[in-house]
Amino acid sequence: MKLVSWTFFIDMLGYRDINGEINTEKKARDFIDFMNQNKAIFDFSNSESVKERYQKDDQFNLYEFYDIKYSFISDSLVINLYPKEVESLTIERKKYMHSANALFIVLMRLQTFIYACFKEKQLFLRGGVSTKYCYLVENFAVGEGLIDAYLTESKVAVYPRIAFSDSVFSDEKLVKEVEFLGNEMYSRSILKCDDNGVYYLDYLGYNMSCVDRNNKMVYQLARVNLPTYLSHLESTKKFVESHAVAVSNKLTELKSRQLALSTDEEKSKLQRVIDKFEWLKDYHNSVVGDFPDFNEYMVE
C-alpha cells in the first residue's frame, strides 16, 4: 500500500518586479544569493541528519513512506512527496493518518521559506496543492498532479495563499484525518475556507497555535521546559510582527504607486493587485484576532 501523493506548486508574487529592477551585477548576485538561501532551507530540512532523526521516530518515519523532492524553477517552487510501496502498510486509516501527517510536515518546513520571502524581499507566496500523480527529477516535473497544482495556483488561489485543489477534497477520508490531526495537536484546523468554498493553508494560525497555551500539548511543553517554550514564543512573535510590517509596507508601496499613475486604466490594473494584498491584510487580522497574545500585531 502507498500513502497519498502530495504536490505543491508555489509562485513568488512580486518576483517579476524585483527581477525587472536588477540592472547591475551586484543586484543580480544579491538576489541569486537570496534564492540560494531558500534552496538551502529545503536542503537542510531534507538532509541526512534529518533523515536519521526520522528513522529513530517510532511513530512516523517520513522517509520510509515518501521520496521527498523539490525544485526551484525561476520564481516557482515545486515540492513533491512521492509515495513508496510499503508492504507493512495494510491498515487504511493508518494510510490516511500518515498522509495527513506528511502535510503538516511540509507546512512546518514551509514556515522558514515563507518568512524569508516576506522578511527579506517583501515577497508573498501563492500556490496550489494536489494529490494527483506527479514525478519530479531535478528541474523536470511531469504528471497530472503538477498541472493540477499549477492550475490551482493560477486560477483558484487568486490571493497570496496556498490553496487546495478539488482533488484533495474529493478524498473525504484524507480530509477527515487532516482535520483530526489539526484539532488533536493544535486545537485548530490548518485548513481555512473562504466564502467561495476555496480551502487554503492557514500558515499564520498554525504558527500561533504552536505556542498557544490554551492548547494542552503546548501547555505541557511550557510546564516541562519553560525556556524552550519562551524561545518558541519569541520566534513566533517575530514572525507575526514581521508579517504585519511586510503586509503594511506592501500596501503603502502599492497605493503610493497608484497615486502616481496618470490613467484610470493603469490605476484600475494596479487596484487588482492592491485588492490581493487587502485580502492578505484581512487574513492576517482575522487570524491574529483569534490569539489574544498577538493582538498588538494587527495591521491598521
Side-chain angles (χ1 to χ4, degrees):
M1 188 182 293
K2 294 182 180 181
L3 300 188
V4 172
S5 173
W6 291 106
T7 300
F8 292 71
F9 183 92
I10 299 172
D11 197 38
M12 296 181 184
L13 298 179
Y15 172 91
R16 289 173 180 82
D17 290 339
I18 292 177
N19 205 15
E21 294 174 355
I22 295 174
N23 52 17
T24 67
E25 184 174 334
K26 182 181 184 306
K27 289 181 179 179
R29 288 184 178 277
D30 285 347
F31 195 75
I32 289 171
D33 286 345
F34 168 70
M35 295 301 289
N36 280 330
Q37 289 170 19
N38 289 329
K39 182 177 180 298
I41 291 170
F42 291 93
D43 287 343
F44 175 77
S45 67
N46 211 39
S47 63
E48 290 303 317
S49 62
V50 171
K51 291 178 182 178
E52 288 173 8
R53 191 170 74 241
Y54 272 104
Q55 287 172 359
K56 296 175 183 176
D57 190 328
D58 58 3
Q59 297 298 314
F60 177 55
N61 177 5
L62 177 69
Y63 294 92
E64 177 185 359
F65 297 95
Y66 285 110
D67 282 327
I68 314 297
K69 302 177 182 180
Y70 52 91
S71 179
F72 283 92
I73 305 169
S74 185
D75 60 336
S76 300
L77 167 66
V78 179
I79 303 173
N80 177 231
L81 274 64
Y82 191 82
K84 301 177 181 179
E85 185 69 49
V86 179
E87 292 184 4
S88 61
L89 182 63
T90 57
I91 301 172
E92 186 182 64
R93 188 178 178 198
K94 185 171 285 190
K95 163 188 172 178
Y96 287 111
M97 287 184 67
H98 286 340
S99 299
N101 201 0
L103 176 64
F104 279 82
I105 292 171
V106 176
L107 175 57
M108 177 182 67
R109 292 182 176 186
L110 280 172
Q111 297 295 316
T112 306
F113 175 53
I114 292 170
Y115 179 77
C117 286
F118 70 68
K119 175 67 174 175
E120 295 188 32
K121 299 295 182 182
Q122 213 167 296
L123 292 169
F124 293 89
L125 306 180
R126 186 176 68 199
V129 186
S130 175
T131 51
K132 293 184 178 181
Y133 180 84
C134 178
Y135 189 74
L136 174 63
V137 178
E138 296 181 350
N139 290 331
F140 297 95
V142 296
E144 59 179 349
L146 175 68
I147 302 303
D148 190 34
Y150 166 74
L151 290 175
T152 301
E153 180 273 325
S154 58
K155 304 293 186 183
V156 178
V158 181
Y159 304 111
R161 58 185 176 178
I162 299 174
F164 288 88
S165 161
D166 288 342
S167 69
V168 178
F169 279 82
S170 65
D171 194 333
E172 294 181 0
K173 293 178 180 178
L174 174 62
V175 175
K176 180 181 178 181
E177 294 303 330
V178 172
E179 296 279 26
F180 172 80
L181 278 179
N183 291 323
E184 186 72 13
M185 294 193 297
Y186 305 105
S187 302
R188 182 184 180 96
S189 174
I190 61 168
L191 308 176
K192 278 186 76 71
C193 183
D194 70 9
D195 294 339
N196 296 317
V198 175
Y199 283 88
Y200 57 97
L201 276 175
D202 182 12
Y203 65 90
L204 268 181
Y206 166 78
N207 214 313
M208 287 181 278
S209 67
C210 289
V211 293
D212 181 12
R213 291 183 300 277
N214 292 315
N215 180 322
K216 290 181 180 179
M217 184 177 70
V218 174
Y219 179 74
Q220 288 300 322
L221 170 64
R223 287 190 61 188
V224 172
N225 193 333
L226 184 59
T228 297
Y229 168 75
L230 291 175
S231 176
H232 289 168
L233 179 62
E234 189 62 29
S235 295
T236 301
K237 285 186 174 182
K238 185 178 179 182
F239 185 105
V240 178
E241 180 182 21
S242 298
H243 192 269
V245 170
V247 172
S248 179
N249 287 347
K250 189 69 178 179
L251 281 168
T252 299
E253 173 212 331
L254 290 170
K255 290 176 180 179
S256 177
R257 283 169 51 191
Q258 189 182 45
L259 288 173
L261 296 174
S262 56
T263 70
D264 289 342
E265 182 180 355
E266 289 175 320
K267 291 181 179 180
S268 178
K269 184 177 180 180
L270 188 56
Q271 183 61 46
R272 291 194 290 272
V273 179
I274 292 172
D275 290 343
K276 297 180 192 305
F277 288 94
E278 289 286 0
W279 178 92
L280 185 59
K281 170 185 170 181
D282 291 343
Y283 163 68
H284 175 99
N285 286 342
S286 68
V287 178
V288 167
D290 292 339
F291 297 89
D293 286 348
F294 295 87
N295 282 178
E296 64 184 292
Y297 303 123
M298 291 283 189
V299 180
E300 297 295 333

